[in-house]
Amino acid sequence: MTTQSVGIANHRFAFGYYRQTFWNWLIGTAFFLGGLGAGLFVLALLTDHTAGMLVGYLIVVVGKNTAHLLFLGRPERFWRAAMRPDRSWIARGIWAMGLFAVSGLILLLPRVLGPAWQLSGWLNGAATAVAVLSAVVIMFYDGFVMNSSPGVAFWRTRLLPLLLLMYATLGGATLSLTIRELRGEAIPGFLPTLEHGLLVVNFVLLAVYLARMNRSLPAARETLRQWLSGPYARVFFGLVLLVGLLATLLLSVVQSHVQATGLVLLIAACELTGDFTLVMVLLKSGLFPRQTALAYSARGI
Amino acid sequence: MARYGMVIDLKRCIGCNSCTLACKQENGTPEGVHFARVVTREVGTYPATKRTFLPVLCNHCSDAPCAEACPTGATYIRADGIVMVDKGKCIGCRACNVACPYMNRHFVAKGLLTGYGTDGLTPYEAIKFLDFEEGTNIKCTLCAPRVDQGLEPACVITCPTDARVFGDVEDPNGKLQRLVKDRKGWTLSPEYNTKPNVWYLDE
């Protein structure tokens, strides 16, 4: 009987890979909502769609922030997280969310409450620029937060912020289409095309990401194995790929020929399920390295 | 100013976990939290099997990723190289936990400071738990209060086989540098580029 095989350590005195359990579903929810809301807000702003802007704004300001505050061990000190924007992506994210909350409100007030709340031309322009920039940062900064944590090798790639940015845009496009459909509003011609394109792009990006991880550190390769043939394979292939990308693409192609509100809701459910599952699997499947060194392993002890 | 570190001789370690207990006693850490521990592994093929022991603690890395990841500056590196946590600044975001490839950061979750027993805190726990705060992160301090008094960390003085050597890692004539040089010392997971200040010897 050999005892050389190395698996997942179930406690800290055991040898093996250690599961990432520190960032849980609340952080996953915050990351998911941040990308989704910011993506929706940007697309709604670009297409002058007040309902989309409002929903996107609320998803970020209420949803994402609530999830973050619920997660923090000392939520009353949350403001301290903004202290080091020169070094920490968490701090940069806090600044982005603060700027987004203020600039988004400036843009929403005249649309919701009436033109009396409208700011002068250049102030409105500045608020628009700040809102778009901060929303874009919110769409991708979680990826930098994750990949600036060297403990989990599976997150250590610059592809992660790009992947989250593209998924945020996709989620925003899907939700934008859904809101317009539910409200019986006209759908800009580019939105369905954008959604189809992003579904293909995200599939390719995901494949590149996994290929990149195949050449990464052992802990990342072990996570990859768990995605492709281990405990996360069903969730990854079933929910992320099949439901989140393939079914969404097929249904949205059908939707472009057969207009049906139920179909739009189904597309949104599929896409958002895939989006949320991807974030959660990324978080939960992270592994810390074995407590060993290259030299130690090489000696076979 | 000295920069403190440690050398652990695996040829001397017998896996007795005295260091684990000494650390628990010195720091009074809550249930399930071990700043020092011994990772045990069985290797070989039956009947030629053996157990190997790897005592681990915070590596007090020169490029500490936990300090880098901390958004509030709660985790900082002292002038003598010891990585510390200012509990008053910690917000419990656990970025440091995720950043440390060695799993040597510990989060004090709600309810963790209720003691081992069922009848409330013992007098010992009541004193020791004053050092901790729920919802914040804690870690090995290399027994900084002892070091500040010129003493060695509890795990070092307790080790019955003298497997641990504590000292100034930057002293070219010091025992640490000599041991690392003479016996080809190595650090854990060097591929993570954290520049640990805990070395291991097995030659």
Side-chain angles (χ1 to χ4, degrees), chain A residues 111-181:
Chain A
R111 290 165 179 267
V112 176
L113 299 179
W117 294 82
Q118 184 77 41
L119 291 179
S120 64
W122 74 269
L123 270 174
N124 201 53
T128 306
V130 171
V132 170
L133 280 174
S134 55
V136 170
V137 172
I138 292 169
M139 288 162 75
F140 70 72
Y141 91 91
D142 296 331
F144 281 111
V145 168
M146 289 169 80
N147 84 11
S148 58
S149 298
V152 180
F154 197 70
W155 302 344
R156 282 175 54 165
T157 165
R158 296 285 177 191
L159 278 174
L160 189 51
L162 180 63
L163 185 69
L164 293 187
L165 176 71
M166 300 313 276
Y167 259 90
T169 315
L170 174 61
T174 305
L175 210 51
S176 181
L177 282 166
T178 310
I179 292 169
R180 287 171 186 274
E181 178 70 28

Side-chain angles (χ1 to χ4, degrees), chain A residues 1-6 11-16 18-24 27 70-85 87-91 145-146 148-153 155-156 217-220 287-297 299-301, chain B residues 10 17 20 34 36-46 49-50 52-54 56 59 65 67-73 75 87-95 97-107 110 133-136 183-184 186-194 202-203:
Chain A
M1 181 185 81
T2 180
T3 54
Q4 293 279 16
S5 60
V6 176
H11 58 80
R12 290 199 195 188
F13 285 78
F15 182 78
Y18 297 90
R19 284 199 190 286
Q20 187 292 111
T21 53
F22 300 108
W23 281 351
N24 59 16
I27 283 289
L70 287 173
F71 173 77
L72 286 183
R74 309 295 303 193
E76 74 279 12
R77 298 178 191 156
F78 82 94
W79 55 272
R80 284 190 177 276
M83 301 305 278
R84 299 204 319 169
R87 294 176 71 174
S88 161
W89 271 102
I90 292 178
V145 168
M146 289 169 80
S148 58
S149 298
V152 180
W155 302 344
R156 282 175 54 165
L217 294 169
L287 292 176
F288 292 98
R290 289 167 288 175
Q291 294 283 327
T292 185
L294 295 176
Y296 190 50
S297 305
R299 288 177 174 85
I301 57 173
Chain B
L10 296 179
N17 271 301
T20 310
H34 303 275
R37 61 192 194 279
V38 180
V39 175
T40 305
R41 181 187 183 191
E42 289 181 20
V43 295
T45 305
Y46 180 83
T49 58
K50 64 176 178 179
T52 63
F53 307 107
L54 183 71
V56 295
N59 288 284
E68 199 65 34
C70 180
T72 67
T75 299
K87 65 178 178 182
K89 285 186 181 174
C90 180
I91 59 169
C93 67
R94 283 155 266 185
N97 294 98
V98 180
C100 175
Y102 309 105
M103 292 271 286
N104 283 326
R105 305 283 310 214
H106 308 268
F107 180 68
K110 274 207 171 73
E133 198 175 281
E134 277 189 354
T136 63
R183 295 182 57 193
K184 296 179 182 138
W186 43 266
T187 57
L188 291 178
S189 303
E191 67 274 25
Y192 285 80
N193 301 318
T194 60
D202 63 358
E203 280 192 0

